[in-house]
Amino acid sequence: MAAALLLTVIAGLATGLGGLAVFLTNRTNGSFLALSLGFSAGVMLYVSFVEILAEASDLLSAAWGPGRGTWGMVGGFFAGIAVIAVIDRLVPHQANPHEFAYQPGDAEPDAAFAAPAADSRLLRTGMLTALAIAIHNFPEGFATFASALGDPSVAIAITVAIALHNIPEGIAVAVPVFQATGSRARAVGLSFLSGLAEPLGAVIGFLLLRPFLTDALFGAVLAGVAGIMVFISLDKLLPTAEKYGGHHLCVYGVVGGMAVMAVSLAMLG
């Protein structure tokens, strides 16, 4: 149990390792921000559609049968989107990043970093991304812990693979927070905090949730997490990346993020 928990902690702290990317750039580097946010969106989209939804469908199908399980996965996915969309709409207009748009007559993107609206938008993006990743890491931590307990011989390989795909998640949190606040310590600290949800999920899952957590409930939660991550990517990360770095840099970042996630999931498999 101690070894399984240690491996879960290592995997979770890799999110903070990704946050150290803020030491490789300056606050006005719009191109780096665009690539990083696009990269992170690619990670979140790929893992949602390829891994999380597939796992949710398998769990729900095993509990309810193939037909009902598929509909349960679809319902959970769009329920997650609905929840985060409602939260987004409840945010006041002045602080809502969804309502902030770069217009052709505005200052150039790099110069816009000094604008309070841009800072507010980026900070909100980083905070929401941290929340989404923490929610994602919570059940992932329990799953990692349980896998390590079940098959110790592959525990190290699982930890390495999960740590690899946690690193770009840390970038997704830290870069917008740093660009908004100028504080590397705050950016790295928030990325580490979001990663700590993984061992926390392992501990709580083992002590409290395991007797009550059915495959159906776990599958529905995973589907909802996928919906939240897809919404964050499409509504927050990609528009911000395109605004600060242009269309092509945004797309290059997305493809790079998908490639890294594909390799890490292949290692995990």
Side-chain angles (χ1 to χ4, degrees):
M1 287 176 57
L5 181 60
L6 177 61
L7 291 175
T8 307
V9 170
I10 292 172
L13 291 181
T15 308
L17 183 62
L20 296 176
V22 297
F23 289 96
L24 302 178
T25 184
N26 57 65
R27 195 182 176 191
T28 59
N29 191 334
S31 297
F32 183 81
L33 175 63
L35 283 170
S36 298
L37 294 181
F39 185 89
S40 302
V43 166
M44 295 174 76
L45 289 170
Y46 192 92
V47 74
S48 295
F49 287 120
V50 174
E51 181 189 35
I52 299 179
L53 284 179
E55 184 175 353
S57 181
D58 289 344
L59 290 170
L60 289 166
S61 295
W64 296 344
R68 292 182 61 196
T70 298
W71 282 110
M73 179 270 290
V74 171
F77 175 76
F78 285 102
I81 290 178
V83 167
I84 195 65
V86 168
I87 293 174
D88 184 62
R89 298 304 298 173
L90 291 176
V91 176
H93 176 88
Q94 295 83 355
N96 192 340
H98 180 77
E99 307 295 342
F100 180 79
Y102 175 72
Q103 301 297 331
D106 292 345
E108 290 299 315
D110 283 350
F113 283 112
D119 285 352
S120 174
R121 183 180 198 273
L122 289 169
L123 184 58
R124 292 280 305 170
T125 296
M127 297 295 287
L128 284 174
T129 303
L131 176 61
I133 289 172
I135 293 172
H136 165 61
N137 283 350
F138 194 87
E140 184 183 79
F142 179 61
T144 304
F145 182 77
S147 298
L149 286 178
D151 191 354
S153 65
V154 299
I156 295 178
I158 290 174
T159 300
V160 170
I162 290 178
L164 284 176
H165 86 247
N166 279 349
I167 290 174
E169 291 178 351
I171 296 174
V173 174
V175 171
V177 172
F178 169 62
Q179 300 285 9
T181 66
S183 171
R184 288 184 169 88
R186 184 175 180 182
V188 174
L190 188 60
S191 66
F192 270 108
L193 283 176
S194 65
L196 288 178
E198 198 149 315
L200 182 63
V203 172
I204 294 179
F206 184 76
L207 296 178
L208 300 177
L209 300 181
R210 194 176 185 183
F212 312 102
L213 190 60
T214 64
D215 285 348
L217 179 58
F218 190 56
V221 169
L222 286 177
V225 168
I228 290 172
M229 294 179 73
V230 168
F231 184 89
I232 292 292
S233 297
L234 298 180
D235 189 62
K236 302 291 185 290
L237 298 179
L238 292 180
T240 305
E242 189 160 14
K243 184 178 86 73
Y244 284 104
H247 176 75
H248 290 294
L249 280 177
C250 174
V251 172
Y252 298 154
V254 170
V255 174
M258 289 182 172
V260 169
M261 181 54 62
V263 171
S264 71
L265 291 181
M267 292 176 61
L268 183 60

